[in-house]
Amino acid sequence: MFAALKSALHSATTQHYRLLRKTYSAEELYGYSLYTDDSLCSIGPVANTSSQIAAAATDPMYNYYRYGPHEWSLWADHGLFDEANDILKAIHADQSLDFDSKRDGMLKAAFVALTEAEAEGLFGPRTPTRFLALWLSDSADPIMVEAAKALNSHDVFSAFCSEYANKN
């Protein structure tokens, strides 16, 4: 089931990001995240553009808004994540695994889907501005920092950590 989830998330992410790129340039579309919460009852994308950051670069809250997917603007998944969410429901219904095992498997599937898409060049080259994330709303799960480190340039990861590494 986790392999099917990874495959569905990879496919949905690829289709979704390509759809976004029909509207936004690579320079404007700086942020992309798979977004869920600690219960993992659903997962979807959220993205942001440079012009939609809710604070100016000189504002002390800039990194909070720039690197916090919960503050981003582009939430529509266009139905592309329905299959992945159906798989999540099936995993939750499986009585052969405890919740922690399910949760770990689902998070790993999401992390690998993003990692593979990034390695394939979907999001373009790592730059000092592009930011990718695996985000769990209202969570302190270490996978968020692990993903930020694995998916971004050192400078972007450092900027993310300045706001979120010890605060999420």
Side-chain angles (χ1 to χ4, degrees), residues 144-166:
M144 295 188 297
V145 173
E146 181 183 348
K149 184 175 185 177
L151 296 167
N152 297 288
S153 71
H154 176 72
D155 290 342
V156 168
F157 176 66
S158 293
F160 165 81
C161 286
S162 74
E163 185 62 41
Y164 289 104
N166 297 313

Side-chain angles (χ1 to χ4, degrees), residues 120-141:
E120 293 163 0
L122 177 66
F123 307 105
R126 290 184 185 193
T127 67
T129 56
R130 188 205 76 183
F131 178 62
L132 302 177
L134 175 56
W135 195 260
L136 284 74
S137 177
D138 298 321
S139 179
D141 195 291

Side-chain angles (χ1 to χ4, degrees), residues 5-22 29 32-34 44-45 77-78 80-81 84 110 112-124 132:
L5 178 60
K6 192 261 320 167
S7 179
L9 286 171
H10 183 275
S11 177
T13 298
T14 300
Q15 292 174 54
H16 186 259
Y17 191 79
R18 287 180 178 157
L19 184 63
L20 287 171
R21 288 281 290 119
K22 289 181 179 181
L29 184 66
Y32 192 88
S33 176
L34 289 182
D77 75 356
H78 308 285
L80 296 170
F81 285 77
V112 171
L114 275 175
T115 301
E116 287 179 358
E118 198 267 340
E120 293 163 0
L122 177 66
F123 307 105
L132 302 177

Side-chain angles (χ1 to χ4, degrees), residues 35-50:
Y35 189 97
T36 187
D37 63 20
D38 278 326
S39 69
L40 277 97
C41 287
S42 67
I43 191 166
V46 61
N48 209 28
T49 65
S50 299

